Amino acid sequence: MRKSFEDEGSSKWRLLSTVLARTLLVSGGWSEAGSNTATLMGRPAAVRTLTKVVFVGAALTAALVSDCPESCRCTERDGLTVQCVSRDLEVIPGDLPRNTVTLLLASNRISHVPRGSFRELPQLQELDLSRNAIETLDAGSFQGVSAELRSLDLSRNRLRSLPRNALSQLRARVRLSHNPWHCECSLQEALRELRLEPDTVGEVRCFTAVREEFRGRSIIQVLDSGIDFCSFRHKTMDVAMFVTMFAWFAMVIAYVVCYVRHNREEVHRHLEYLRSPPGSSHSSKDFESVNTGL
């Protein structure tokens, strides 16, 4: 499948080179008819040849970029570059040419990168999503991206966390600086599988963290110092479990105490009843009736 995509993207270039070669050979003044010796014709013919070459090249270049999205601009230099910078886009264009090599989507209003957004771009080598409003990445946002991807720029967005598998399959150098990161276990695990751009490592900082002391510090420096955010999560879970168990234990103790106290009163009344002599209740009633009569 990938080979078919590449053939589709390069077939037009083969056509271009063939047409240019024939133009130089036939119209440009080189003649092979009836002789094995090529004869160079006059300078006016060479000028006409150059004009034809430029015209044919321009026509085929226009055909190559005819699939360019309406809101973008496409150019050919070391592969197809699709420029969609500062176009006020809120979503990633869905009609991108399959032979796109460089995709520039910086300075827009994109807030979410859906699953499989770039799976139809098998030749993609550079992807710039910087200076957007991206808050979330799906676990498969970059699923299907070619292993040829060399650069991914996600800097200056609104990312606070990363799904563990969102970027794990990429071999590209990634820029994550100037995002409001929340430093905790899942971010630590995601960063372990990434190749960060070296000159931006110090700018990947904790905007918030599981501990206040880490705010504003470089994530990599914190991790290099031996801090393990995942250990904080485990400790927090242990404390929560302990508090829960203590609450249940307190409830059980309170129930037992109430039960014993209630039964003690019942037992005491029963013992008092057993200790009283027979007929005492009748004599007391007679005594009370006598007092009343008097």
Side-chain angles (χ1 to χ4, degrees), residues 5 96-99 116-123 143-144:
F5 287 158
L96 296 167
R98 290 184 174 179
N99 59 329
S117 296
F118 310 101
R119 69 173 60 187
E120 299 297 334
L121 305 178
Q123 301 180 40
Q143 183 179 12

Side-chain angles (χ1 to χ4, degrees), residues 197-210:
E197 189 69 43
D199 59 349
T200 66
V201 169
E203 298 302 323
V204 183
R205 298 181 176 274
C206 301
F207 186 76
T208 57
V210 292

Side-chain angles (χ1 to χ4, degrees), residues 124-127 145-152 170-172:
L124 190 62
Q125 296 182 13
E126 180 180 350
L127 176 57
V145 173
S146 171
E148 297 180 2
L149 185 68
R150 297 177 300 188
S151 175
L152 172 61
L170 298 181
R171 301 179 183 177

Side-chain angles (χ1 to χ4, degrees), residues 8 14 43 52 66 96 101 121 227 231 250 257 259 265:
E8 179 181 347
R14 290 198 295 269
R43 182 173 297 177
K52 291 180 180 180
S66 61
L96 296 167
V101 174
L121 305 178
I227 299 299
S231 66
V257 169
Y259 180 80
E265 294 176 357

Side-chain angles (χ1 to χ4, degrees), residues 140-184:
S141 293
F142 301 95
Q143 183 179 12
V145 173
S146 171
E148 297 180 2
L149 185 68
R150 297 177 300 188
S151 175
L152 172 61
D153 195 344
L154 289 167
S155 62
R156 300 184 184 277
N157 280 283
R158 300 177 184 174
L159 291 168
R160 288 179 51 82
S161 62
L162 284 176
R164 184 172 182 179
N165 298 324
L167 306 173
S168 59
Q169 303 299 321
L170 298 181
R171 301 179 183 177
R173 293 191 179 273
V174 184
R175 293 175 178 264
L176 297 174
S177 57
H178 301 288
N179 280 282
W181 296 112
H182 177 64
C183 293
E184 40 78 39

Side-chain angles (χ1 to χ4, degrees), residues 189-202:
E189 292 177 345
L191 290 177
R192 284 177 177 172
E193 301 179 3
L194 295 182
R195 298 176 59 195
L196 294 178
E197 189 69 43
D199 59 349
T200 66
V201 169

